[in-house]
Amino acid sequence: MEVKSVFSLSNPYKLNYVKEKLDTFGKVEGLNFDYQFCKTPEQIISFLQEKIIDCAIVDVKNYFDLELDFLDWFFVNIYEDYDFDVLVSNKNNENFDKIEKIGVLSISQWLYCKKRFHTDNINFIKAFKNINELLTEFDLVMLPGYFTNQIGNHLYIEKINIIDLQKPSFEGASCVIFRKGDERFLFLRQFFIKSVYFIGAGIGDKKYATYEAIRTIKNLDVCLFDNLMDHSLLDYLPEDAILIDVGKRCEHHKLNQAKITDLISMYARMGYRVGRLKGGDPSIFGRLAEEIKVLEDLRINFHIIPGISTINALSIKSGIILTRREINRGFCVLSAIKHKGATAEFNRKELDSLPLIFFMGVRVIGKISSSLINDGYLPHTKVAVVFCIGTEQEFEIRGTLSDIASKINDLKGQLLFDNPPGIFIVGEISNFFYQRSGLLQDKKILVPTPFDDKLYFSFKDIGVNLFSYNLNIKYKITKEILEKITSFQAIAISHAKLAKALMETLFEQKKDIRTLPQLITQSDNVFNFFKHYGLYCVKDIDSISGLDICFIYNNNYCMDLLKLLSQKNKISSIKIEGRTYKTDVLTAFDMIYFECIEQYYEFVDLYGVNSLKDKIILSIDKSISTLITSKKNQSFISIFDKTNFKFNITRLLNFGNVNLIVSTPS
């Protein structure tokens, strides 16, 4: 499908980046972009309004000139995955004093080069060229970090952190503008934006905030926060996060609800991960439905992080317990304030229109439904039953008072276990549901614990449901084995769990860790583990020769390090046996992530290789690719690179039968 587009960008490298991204992601939907140049904002508006073009690509500074009711937009930022620029030259830094001509792309780069190289011969690059062509024109060029993968090894490269350049906001961003409701661009936008997170801050002290709430706050780019919460939670935000106080209290509103909603969607479309931090629980009297409705219309993905509400916390000190046996079996919660701040009046008839919530009523839903119908409720009254709330097994059944019991009976064979816990909801409110967006919306992925936060939120931002699995395998090194291991000139270790077992045994035996022989590894995890204790590991395997080395391993497949070391050294191998603890039953999943090949084998030992049949496997360990391919039971292999996360997601969208994705470390 042809997409007619115009651009008005002065930076040729920004334009090249936007074109590359739109073309790449557009292929998923069969879109072919036709780019033409257009100079004036007035002409762009006219073309969009008259449907002569489908979209326009402009500098961010010009976006506000094009902000009209019939238009929608999103930012594309060349620095999305890179926080540095690069200096590139044929000369090394010792010869920088001989630099005569410099090429730059932005004012901030010009100022940096002016200050550092003390020359007036700094020029703006006018057209997109490859690096070799640029270096025939300039002695030195400064480019965004994104282009480092296009630079050959024979050139001198120096990385300059963006923070040192004092770049203005969105210097590397462009704005894609289109008509509201265009399904093609609503889909494409999901590649360039992150999710919105509605976070319950809990009540009173921050100690009542959940672990997931704090974890999410730590990874926000923008936070809109309320008054009625512990503001010390804001200390968890990254240093460069944008804080916006949108607190409301009684009659004093810093911003009205419409403005708050506009800010949420605006920052999301700019590419930020946005958090709306509310006191208590966001879904209880928190205007959540209004804020979510806008995101649903814009196809912006969102997540809800529940919080402890005052309803939950009432009994902490007061002694008021909302339900007491033989006193009452429920309660009604109402707001005392109506829309626009008016005091709410109440009469008993209003109770008839309120939804009913039944806890612990799954077994007797049929009786409850019959009783309500006999008491005057209409048989077609909307109802829902939500099972296993907050767990990996959560699911729901919807219907009416007249048919809900039969629907549950029909599904009894499919229920995860007999009599699962559930809540029965009666009333029109049970008819509502979220219209979620996300590139891989509702796909389930299993990840190991602990799991890298950057990757965790990359998955969350595209709508994936993450569930954790724990490989409960503990390795034990006996006193006798420890004495044997430490008698060698060096110890080679390929797995972090073995490194941990070694240290634990040393501490148990009260041995001085400084007396350990030379440590050798190829694993970053092992290297960093020992570094934490002030111990150094040799990673340059080629530099090791003539040593008597003890290689300790846990599985017969971890032999790459052994093979390399045995070429120049005398090797003795000791296998460390592991003890497997009972693990939880695996939840149903579509994808699974392995940090390394050791995790893959441990998983297979616990759950069997058949548990991975027809699943998508993701890993940062290339050796898993070789291993699984050799078994000839996978149909597709791709490189999954963390620094180009969304680019690799297109492979999942393009190939419905993907079985394997291998990730290279960033």
Side-chain angles (χ1 to χ4, degrees):
M1 181 188 301
E2 187 178 45
V3 181
K4 294 183 178 180
S5 312
V6 298
F7 63 88
S8 176
L9 290 175
S10 56
N11 186 320
Y13 284 76
K14 280 170 61 174
L15 178 59
N16 181 270
Y17 181 84
V18 177
K19 284 182 177 180
E20 178 185 335
K21 293 296 182 181
L22 289 178
D23 288 339
T24 298
F25 300 143
K27 287 179 182 177
V28 179
E29 292 285 272
L31 304 179
N32 297 307
F33 286 83
D34 174 27
Y35 300 101
Q36 302 292 330
F37 178 74
C38 186
K39 190 171 183 180
T40 66
E42 294 78 14
Q43 196 172 29
I44 289 174
I45 293 172
S46 174
F47 284 170
L48 283 166
Q49 199 162 24
E50 296 173 17
K51 300 185 179 181
I52 297 172
I53 61 173
D54 299 303
C55 77
I57 304 161
V58 301
D59 277 313
V60 164
K61 63 184 179 182
N62 295 328
Y63 151 68
F64 296 102
D65 295 330
L66 302 171
E67 191 176 17
L68 297 170
D69 288 341
F70 75 97
L71 296 177
D72 201 349
W73 56 276
F74 58 89
F75 285 1
V76 179
N77 199 328
I78 204 169
Y79 291 104
E80 179 184 8
D81 296 309
Y82 295 83
D83 59 357
F84 59 88
D85 279 344
V86 287
L87 293 171
V88 188
S89 176
N90 284 313
K91 305 176 181 180
N92 60 37
N93 60 346
E94 294 177 357
N95 295 318
F96 271 179
D97 57 337
K98 300 178 182 178
I99 294 291
E100 295 181 359
K101 191 173 183 182
I102 299 173
V104 298
L105 290 171
S106 65
I107 295 294
S108 64
Q109 291 178 349
W110 192 93
L111 292 171
Y112 175 85
C113 291
K114 175 73 175 176
K115 182 177 180 181
R116 176 169 172 176
F117 300 111
H118 308 291
T119 178
D120 292 326
N121 198 1
I122 306 173
N123 301 281
F124 287 95
I125 301 170
K126 300 296 184 182
F128 183 85
K129 299 177 181 179
N130 65 45
I131 190 65
N132 292 322
E133 291 175 320
L134 285 174
L135 291 179
T136 61
E137 185 178 348
F138 302 100
D139 299 313
L140 177 80
V141 294
M142 196 168 192
L143 299 175
Y146 172 75
F147 295 97
T148 51
N149 58 358
Q150 302 176 15
I151 300 172
N153 295 328
H154 63 286
L155 299 174
Y156 172 77
I157 302 173
E158 181 182 337
K159 293 182 180 180
I160 310 297
N161 292 330
I162 285 179
I163 194 170
D164 297 325
L165 294 172
Q166 298 181 324
K167 284 183 178 291
S169 296
F170 299 115
E171 182 179 271
S174 309
C175 185
V176 178
I177 302 172
F178 57 96
R179 289 182 295 276
K180 281 185 178 178
D182 190 322
E183 293 289 341
R184 298 169 298 177
F185 288 95
L186 291 176
F187 169 77
L188 281 174
R189 177 159 61 194
Q190 295 176 59
F191 286 101
F192 300 98
I193 62 176
K194 301 174 184 176
S195 286
V196 173
Y197 294 79
F198 296 96
I199 309 162
I203 51 93
D205 196 285
K206 69 178 179 183
K207 67 185 178 184
Y208 293 114
T210 65
Y211 169 81
E212 183 68 5
I214 292 173
R215 181 181 190 178
T216 305
I217 292 169
K218 287 179 177 178
N219 287 275
L220 295 177
D221 302 315
V222 176
C223 181
L224 293 84
F225 62 94
D226 281 346
N227 278 329
L228 299 176
M229 51 167 276
D230 186 344
H231 283 200
S232 64
L233 282 171
L234 301 177
D235 295 338
Y236 289 114
L237 287 164
E239 288 186 8
D240 57 349
I242 299 172
L243 279 73
I244 305 171
D245 184 355
V246 295
K248 304 175 187 178
R249 198 159 189 170
C250 298
E251 298 298 319
H252 304 288
H253 294 191
K254 292 183 175 71
L255 295 171
N256 62 37
Q257 185 59 45
K259 184 61 177 176
I260 293 172
T261 305
D262 286 344
L263 286 172
I264 292 172
S265 64
M266 180 187 77
Y267 281 112
R269 285 181 284 188
M270 287 179 174
Y272 289 117
R273 181 176 295 123
V274 180
R276 176 72 172 96
L277 188 58
K278 302 167 179 268
D281 181 278
S283 65
I284 300 178
F285 301 131
R287 310 289 288 274
L288 181 63
E290 298 166 53
E291 293 168 350
I292 282 178
K293 180 63 171 65
V294 173
L295 300 182
E296 288 176 333
D297 292 342
L298 292 171
R299 305 286 205 285
I300 295 174
N301 194 44
F302 60 89
H303 297 275
I304 298 169
I305 314 299
I308 295 177
S309 170
T310 50
I311 295 174
N312 309 117
L314 183 61
S315 61
I316 291 177
K317 292 184 178 179
S318 70
I320 300 173
I321 300 173
L322 290 172
T323 56
R324 286 183 179 271
R325 293 189 69 177
E326 300 182 359
I327 301 291
N328 66 313
R329 61 188 181 96
F331 55 91
C332 179
V333 181
L334 300 172
S335 169
I337 303 297
K338 294 175 71 174
H339 182 52
K340 296 184 178 179
T343 302
E345 298 176 355
F346 179 77
N347 59 71
R348 291 189 61 84
K349 288 184 179 180
E350 191 172 349
L351 285 173
D352 296 337
S353 64
L354 295 177
L356 301 178
I357 315 293
F358 292 92
F359 287 72
M360 300 174 290
V362 174
R363 283 185 175 180
V364 292
I365 280 178
K367 292 182 179 179
I368 296 172
S369 299
S370 297
S371 177
L372 290 172
I373 291 172
N374 291 336
D375 199 44
Y377 277 76
L378 297 174
H380 59 263
T381 300
K382 302 290 185 181
V383 299
V385 186
V386 186
F387 294 94
C388 308
I389 295 173
T391 72
E392 298 171 2
Q393 291 82 28
E394 181 175 326
F395 67 103
E396 63 198 53
I397 300 174
R398 300 176 190 255
T400 64
L401 280 176
S402 61
D403 65 14
I404 191 66
S406 63
K407 284 188 174 183
I408 292 173
N409 287 331
D410 291 343
L411 291 175
K412 268 192 174 178
Q414 299 177 34
L415 297 184
L416 299 172
F417 49 88
D418 291 337
N419 192 32
I423 289 181
F424 183 33
I425 305 161
V426 179
E428 189 63 27
I429 198 170
S430 68
N431 196 39
F432 288 87
F433 57 89
Y434 296 133
Q435 296 177 351
R436 295 188 181 276
S437 300
L439 293 170
L440 293 179
Q441 189 61 52
D442 294 330
K443 293 292 184 183
K444 295 180 179 178
I445 178 172
L446 286 182
V447 297
T449 54
F451 187 62
D452 173 66
D453 270 4
K454 181 176 180 180
L455 203 52
Y456 177 87
F457 282 98
S458 291
F459 279 118
K460 293 274 284 186
D461 287 339
I462 62 170
V464 173
N465 289 329
L466 282 90
F467 302 106
S468 62
Y469 68 89
N470 189 13
L471 297 173
N472 294 315
I473 299 179
K474 186 175 178 65
Y475 295 95
K476 180 69 176 179
I477 298 176
T478 64
K479 181 179 179 181
E480 293 74 23
I481 293 178
L482 178 66
E483 290 176 354
K484 187 175 180 179
I485 290 171
T486 53
S487 67
F488 288 82
Q489 290 178 294
I491 304 172
I493 305 175
S494 61
H495 193 357
K497 285 189 177 180
L498 294 181
K500 183 178 180 181
L502 176 61
M503 295 300 290
E504 288 175 347
T505 307
L506 286 167
F507 292 143
E508 289 172 4
Q509 300 297 321
K510 298 182 179 178
K511 302 286 187 181
D512 188 343
I513 63 174
R514 293 172 295 180
T515 62
L516 278 173
Q518 176 66 64
L519 297 168
I520 303 170
T521 190
Q522 282 186 309
S523 165
D524 289 337
N525 290 336
V526 173
F527 182 87
N528 292 329
F529 177 82
F530 283 125
K531 184 180 179 181
H532 175 74
Y533 291 98
L535 300 173
Y536 177 72
C537 280
V538 176
K539 292 183 68 180
D540 183 6
I541 306 303
D542 292 336
S543 67
I544 302 170
S545 63
L547 292 182
D548 192 7
I549 302 173
C550 178
F551 175 72
I552 61 174
Y553 67 102
N554 54 334
N555 283 289
N556 293 330
Y557 56 85
C558 300
M559 296 300 169
D560 288 345
L561 181 58
L562 173 65
K563 292 174 183 176
L564 289 171
L565 290 171
S566 61
Q567 295 173 7
K568 299 180 182 180
N569 303 274
K570 181 181 177 182
I571 308 294
S572 298
S573 302
I574 297 178
K575 185 174 183 178
I576 308 299
E577 298 296 336
R579 179 181 175 186
T580 302
Y581 294 85
K582 183 175 176 59
T583 59
D584 296 331
V585 176
L586 280 178
T587 186
F589 66 97
D590 305 296
M591 299 178 281
I592 187 166
Y593 176 87
F594 296 119
E595 191 75 25
C596 56
I597 195 169
E598 289 87 354
Q599 277 186 355
Y600 170 82
Y601 269 97
E602 288 177 346
F603 184 91
V604 169
D605 287 344
L606 288 176
Y607 298 106
V609 71
N610 285 336
S611 64
L612 298 175
K613 186 178 180 181
D614 299 325
K615 306 299 182 185
I616 298 173
I617 298 173
L618 305 104
S619 178
I620 65 169
D621 193 335
K622 289 184 178 180
S623 57
I624 291 182
S625 170
T626 305
L627 171 73
I628 296 179
T629 305
S630 67
K631 297 181 181 294
K632 298 181 180 179
N633 61 351
Q634 307 295 330
S635 61
F636 180 72
I637 301 175
S638 173
I639 299 299
F640 189 90
D641 185 352
K642 291 180 185 178
T643 59
N644 288 295
F645 181 84
K646 290 180 181 176
F647 173 78
N648 290 277
I649 291 303
T650 60
R651 300 170 189 258
L652 284 177
L653 297 171
N654 275 317
F655 297 92
N657 61 340
V658 177
N659 291 106
L660 175 67
I661 297 178
V662 179
S663 166
T664 56
S666 56

